[in-house]
Amino acid sequence: MSDKKVIHNVINGEIQTASDGQMMDIVNPSTGEVFASAPNSSAVDVDLAFQAAGKAFETWRWSTPSERQRALLKLADVIEENADELIAIECENTGKPVSLTASEEIPPMLDQIRFFAGAARVLEGRSQGEYMRGHTSSIRREPVGPVAQVAPWNYPMMMSVWKFAPALAAGCTVVLKPSDTTPASSYWMVEKMQEIFPPGVCNLVCGDRDTGAALTAHPVPQLVSITGSTRAGVAVATSAAQDLKRAHLELGGKAPVVVFNDADIAAVVEGVTAAGYFNAGQDCTAATRMIVQEGIYDELLAAMTESVAATKTGYDPNDEDILFGPINNPNQLAHVSGLVSRAPEHARVLAGGKKKEGAGFFFEPTLIADLRQDDELIQTEIFGPVVTAQKFSTEDEALAYANGTEYGLASSVWTRNVDVAARMSARLDFGCVWINTHIPLVAEMPHGGFKHSGYGKDLSMYGLEDYTRIKHVMHYHGFEG
């Protein structure tokens, strides 16, 4: 293609190609056609990036909070001023609906960058004091060092923000690797950052899994942060452990939606349709498992079936009724299709259930009822536009179903009974519990999971603290009072 776009690495403030010239095709999942190429970087490129990040850290770590704040605020302004350009890049790279990307991703991204810009100036610690006579102790909170970061393909630009914003606010330097299928928006942002931040403070290295492995194994980074699958997280944690690096892992999810008999059925249908199928269900917090009390099970499923059947997928930039676009890549489409095709005989497919005809990697919005706890569709992360339903009788049974997977990222409870909501929120083994809603996030509150959903927090002051280390300073002065 003569008009094929070219994506580059960004190292030490400069646009660079892969050292060995290797390139990857980047596909628009709405059409299945190649629209760009990007470097498939080697360990040599990774080393160059970390040399730059290490050198930049020597000065960036001493930047003042106000200096870091101004840089991040300037970045937010640049993104806001050029939002239409970035949206077009993201939608070509992911196939997402333009209107939803503009309304649901750009505003929170800007808010998150601006939150961390402010958070850089309000880090707190224990007060200085005499804990031993004649000695004054104080606490220093310092940037952990250069960091390696791996962003996923489901929200390429937003997850890049979740990575670099707290790290830069804390005084760390960054080597960011976007997904091999969605590097375009990350490249755009990091290129813009070179006009704002000193060279080497934020570097971008594109590539495949081997590039990511070189990133996590490199001796310079002091922390490795990844948003991705549990399998990828285990690989990163294993690699990081060889050098005693810190690991920050935001991994898979299998979010239960526990619906009691007294719930507002219309609100549940509206909430689960949005939270289950938005972004083609490619969200680790997606409302994937409806666990419904027996008294409203049939009524709720009938209403959900009608709602799902009316949900539109496709790619038309002018159609604002489309809720979600394609699955990101052929491998993920095959994964989703395989899980649905292997649905057990006792399951009922109430809506969808197959790939949409035509070009691209589209899968119909799908609803499957009457699943059992040990079914593959309940235990395996689908990461596609598929919602399942189970029936429960008692609160304890609902809790056992909800907690009965290896994941522990997000969950929701739907009830008018505040006592039930309080008990469930305390007993659900998930990093987030929503009550009578599902999926809203705010910059001030932490996002992160338990069990095989990983550890570490994104967003909030907890996310900023993850990129810092604690030092005790004790000064002997001799005065004992």
Side-chain angles (χ1 to χ4, degrees), residues 274-472:
Y277 299 101
F278 183 82
N279 200 33
Q282 297 170 124
D283 189 315
C284 50
T285 64
T288 60
R289 291 189 293 144
M290 297 181 67
I291 300 170
V292 185
Q293 199 160 20
E294 55 192 2
I296 60 168
Y297 185 78
D298 292 335
E299 182 181 359
L300 177 55
L301 286 185
M304 272 297 299
T305 301
E306 183 177 343
S307 178
V308 174
T311 298
K312 293 180 65 175
T313 181
Y315 187 72
D316 179 351
N318 299 312
D319 188 347
E320 296 187 0
D321 292 329
I322 291 174
L323 179 63
F324 65 89
I327 300 292
N328 177 260
N329 57 76
N331 289 339
Q332 185 63 23
L333 177 61
H335 170 74
V336 174
S337 299
L339 283 167
V340 173
S341 69
R342 295 191 298 273
E345 291 185 1
H346 56 261
R348 289 184 293 144
V349 178
L350 301 181
K354 63 183 184 298
K355 180 184 181 299
K356 187 178 178 181
E357 295 297 327
F361 312 137
F362 294 90
F363 198 86
E364 297 175 341
T366 299
L367 178 64
I368 305 178
D370 300 351
L371 274 297
R372 298 171 185 169
Q373 187 66 18
D374 59 353
D375 287 337
E376 182 184 27
L377 283 162
I378 295 298
Q379 295 297 324
T380 301
E381 185 177 33
I382 302 171
F383 222 62
V386 180
V387 174
T388 63
Q390 299 167 266
K391 184 190 298 185
F392 77 89
S393 176
T394 67
E395 186 176 318
D396 285 344
E397 185 179 28
L399 190 73
Y401 287 166
N403 287 342
T405 73
E406 64 184 14
Y407 301 101
L409 184 59
S411 60
S412 64
V413 178
W414 300 74
T415 179
R416 292 183 173 93
N417 188 316
V418 294
D419 292 336
V420 170
R423 286 195 301 268
M424 291 295 291
S425 62
R427 300 173 72 193
L428 282 165
D429 199 12
F430 296 85
C432 178
V433 180
W434 288 290
I435 298 173
N436 293 326
T437 188
H438 193 110
I439 226 165
L441 296 170
V442 292
E444 294 85 352
M445 291 293 111
H447 173 83
F450 307 149
K451 302 191 293 187
H452 282 203
S453 291
Y455 46 82
K457 297 296 182 185
D458 290 310
L459 304 178
S460 79
M461 293 302 293
Y462 297 102
L464 182 58
E465 290 173 1
D466 277 359
Y467 288 95
T468 66
R469 65 185 187 182
I470 300 300
K471 178 185 289 183
H472 168 221

Side-chain angles (χ1 to χ4, degrees), residues 6-10 13-15 75 78 85 89 184-197 202-204:
V6 181
I7 295 164
H8 299 284
N9 292 336
V10 183
E14 298 179 353
I15 303 303
L75 174 61
V78 169
E85 181 183 352
I89 290 170
S185 55
S186 299
Y187 170 60
W188 185 93
M189 288 190 290
V190 175
E191 186 180 15
K192 295 292 186 187
M193 291 168 72
Q194 305 316 303
E195 303 169 8
I196 302 169
F197 294 83
C202 190
N203 308 273
L204 182 83

Side-chain angles (χ1 to χ4, degrees), residues 156-297:
M157 62 181 186
M158 185 182 290
M159 293 299 99
S160 291
V161 166
W162 284 27
K163 296 299 177 196
F164 65 65
L168 298 178
C172 299
T173 54
V174 169
V175 177
L176 173 69
K177 192 195 89 66
S179 167
D180 55 348
T181 64
T182 56
S185 55
S186 299
Y187 170 60
W188 185 93
M189 288 190 290
V190 175
E191 186 180 15
K192 295 292 186 187
M193 291 168 72
Q194 305 316 303
E195 303 169 8
I196 302 169
F197 294 83
V201 169
C202 190
N203 308 273
L204 182 83
V205 177
C206 301
D208 59 14
R209 289 181 181 177
D210 290 340
T211 309
L215 203 77
T216 59
H218 198 278
V220 166
Q222 299 301 298
L223 180 147
V224 181
S225 174
I226 180 174
T227 297
S229 67
T230 298
R231 175 201 55 77
V234 170
V236 166
T238 301
S239 176
Q242 305 306 307
D243 200 28
L244 293 180
K245 296 184 185 74
R246 298 188 189 185
H248 181 285
L249 311 174
E250 200 277 277
L251 308 177
K254 194 70 179 169
V257 179
V258 183
V259 185
F260 286 88
N261 283 336
D262 64 342
D264 182 332
I265 290 179
V268 174
V269 171
E270 181 180 3
V272 175
T273 300
Y277 299 101
F278 183 82
N279 200 33
Q282 297 170 124
D283 189 315
C284 50
T285 64
T288 60
R289 291 189 293 144
M290 297 181 67
I291 300 170
V292 185
Q293 199 160 20
E294 55 192 2
I296 60 168
Y297 185 78

